[in-house]
Amino acid sequence: MQKTRAHSVAGAAALLLVLTGCTAASDGESAQQESPLGEYMAALWGGDLSEDEQAAMFEEQNLEREELMATCMKEQGFDYAPNVDTGASYSSGEEWQPDDREWVAQYGYGMVRWPGMDEQPDAEEVYEDPNQEYVNSLTATEQTAFYEALYGPSVPEEELDENGSYEWNWETAGCYGWAQHEIDGDNPLTSEEFAPLMEEINQFYTDLDSASGMSEIDAEWAACMSEAGHAGFARQSEAMTSINDELNAYYENQTEWVEDDPALDELAEREIELALADLDCRESTDYRERRQEVVVALEEQFIADHQVELDAMKAAAEQRS
């Protein structure tokens, strides 16, 4: 059931990742430029809040959602204890340094290995689902009904995309979907009023790598990678994607957990080798700085073309906060 829940915010999360990716830190001052479009989106995400304020906001929203879910589940004939202690943590990501050579030499892209992966939580901090005991007391049929009431029925295979994702619909996502919809309310990020604009923003970033001005930058990067022994990539993003695809294939073919699996260690080493070459080629071609200049120019043009809609969305977000 966790997969269904995760997809409830997939579109919004993807957009946030794109926006933060456009303003990722690097050694060049030009790459430190603020994303013009990101400034608009910050109003929707509470980007002007401190890390502690954002954590408090997320915790407040989680409490409200869980209480609504409990009410909904009761109406469906089930007991449900609000799950307010999710074990979630909020971090500024200061340990994530994909442009630092020492960090990349240790973690690559941070996919197979990453900072803190071996840290064990304190015994008293181990997450416990307050509903697990109740769920265990149900029959198998009742458990299925419980989770369908909570998250909605499983998505038919024919509705899944090639990568296993699907378009989330709160109306078919059980009590969780209903509660999330209630919380969203007039949230511009998910409202029907600004849905066309959000679709255009998502499409803007989807098409960004193939936009005018990017091909020359990627071509120089690709030539550098080829000289370094890593031919076959047309765009910089394809390098990390290739490792992601291999990692997904590894887990899809895994029938049992293998501790310290040599196959995974080998993939980690290849990831580091590729990521280091990628980093070197980005630095030698001024990839980050040049790409950021193109992105900023394209974002400024997008804003000029959608100024009225963006201003209205920002105003709605500020009025809601």
Side-chain angles (χ1 to χ4, degrees):
M1 302 307 301
Q2 291 178 339
K3 182 178 181 181
T4 303
R5 183 172 183 173
H7 279 284
S8 67
V9 292
L15 177 60
L16 177 62
L17 287 173
V18 168
L19 290 171
T20 54
C22 288
T23 57
S26 74
D27 295 331
E29 290 184 4
S30 60
Q32 296 287 351
Q33 293 176 319
E34 291 294 327
S35 162
L37 188 53
E39 292 180 11
Y40 277 93
M41 302 309 297
L44 279 69
W45 285 98
D48 56 342
L49 302 178
S50 68
E51 188 174 318
D52 289 340
E53 289 172 333
Q54 289 186 19
M57 179 184 68
F58 290 135
E59 289 175 4
E60 181 181 348
Q61 291 177 348
N62 181 64
L63 174 60
E64 181 182 358
R65 178 172 49 248
E66 289 290 326
E67 290 177 343
L68 288 170
M69 289 166 64
T71 299
C72 176
M73 289 295 285
K74 185 176 181 179
E75 293 175 352
Q76 298 295 319
F78 295 101
D79 290 336
Y80 182 81
N83 187 3
V84 296
D85 184 13
T86 62
S89 60
Y90 306 94
S91 171
S92 61
E94 292 178 354
E95 294 183 354
W96 207 263
Q97 305 175 55
D99 293 327
D100 179 80
R101 187 172 184 80
E102 183 177 346
W103 189 94
V104 174
Q106 184 174 359
Y107 300 111
Y109 294 112
M111 303 187 74
V112 179
R113 308 279 185 252
W114 60 89
M117 66 175 295
D118 296 324
E119 295 178 4
Q120 297 296 324
D122 295 334
E124 62 270 18
E125 294 181 354
V126 175
Y127 166 72
E128 294 183 5
D129 187 345
N131 294 287
Q132 194 60 56
E133 184 176 351
Y134 170 71
V135 173
N136 291 341
S137 71
L138 303 176
T139 66
T141 301
E142 290 171 336
Q143 288 182 8
T144 299
F146 174 88
Y147 283 117
E148 285 193 356
L150 188 59
Y151 297 123
S154 299
V155 179
E157 187 173 345
E158 58 269 19
E159 294 184 15
L160 299 177
D161 295 335
E162 293 181 359
N163 61 0
S165 63
Y166 60 93
E167 185 174 353
W168 187 79
N169 182 354
W170 72 268
E171 295 176 309
T172 59
C175 288
Y176 175 82
W178 172 78
Q180 186 63 51
H181 181 69
E182 289 294 304
I183 291 176
D184 285 341
D186 56 353
N187 185 350
L189 187 64
T190 55
S191 71
E192 293 185 6
E193 178 183 359
F194 298 106
L197 176 60
M198 292 304 299
E199 289 179 7
E200 291 200 50
I201 292 174
N202 277 310
Q203 192 62 49
F204 170 80
Y205 283 111
T206 298
D207 298 339
L208 196 58
D209 282 343
S210 58
S212 174
M214 293 295 185
S215 57
E216 180 181 348
I217 303 172
D218 275 319
E220 291 185 25
W221 172 88
C224 175
M225 290 290 286
S226 182
E227 292 177 3
H230 299 280
F233 300 118
R235 297 173 180 167
Q236 189 272 333
S237 59
E238 293 177 2
M240 184 169 65
T241 299
S242 70
I243 298 298
N244 181 66
D245 291 344
E246 286 195 59
L247 189 60
N248 285 338
Y250 169 84
Y251 285 116
E252 288 173 0
N253 296 325
Q254 190 179 46
T255 57
E256 62 180 353
W257 173 251
V258 180
E259 188 173 359
D260 299 325
D261 189 349
L264 196 58
D265 291 337
E266 180 183 349
L267 177 57
E269 290 302 314
R270 284 191 283 112
E271 176 187 355
I272 290 173
E273 179 184 354
L274 180 63
L276 283 172
D278 180 5
L279 177 63
D280 288 342
C281 286
R282 280 184 283 134
E283 291 180 345
S284 66
T285 60
D286 293 327
Y287 185 93
R288 290 183 296 268
E289 294 81 359
R290 294 166 64 193
R291 185 182 192 280
Q292 184 66 10
E293 290 178 1
V294 174
V295 170
V296 168
L298 291 173
E299 287 187 359
E300 289 176 343
Q301 183 59 56
F302 183 90
I303 291 172
D305 294 339
H306 301 82
Q307 189 78 62
V308 175
E309 303 101 296
L310 287 167
D311 286 344
M313 183 177 67
K314 182 179 180 182
E318 292 173 345
Q319 183 177 7
R320 182 174 180 269
S321 62

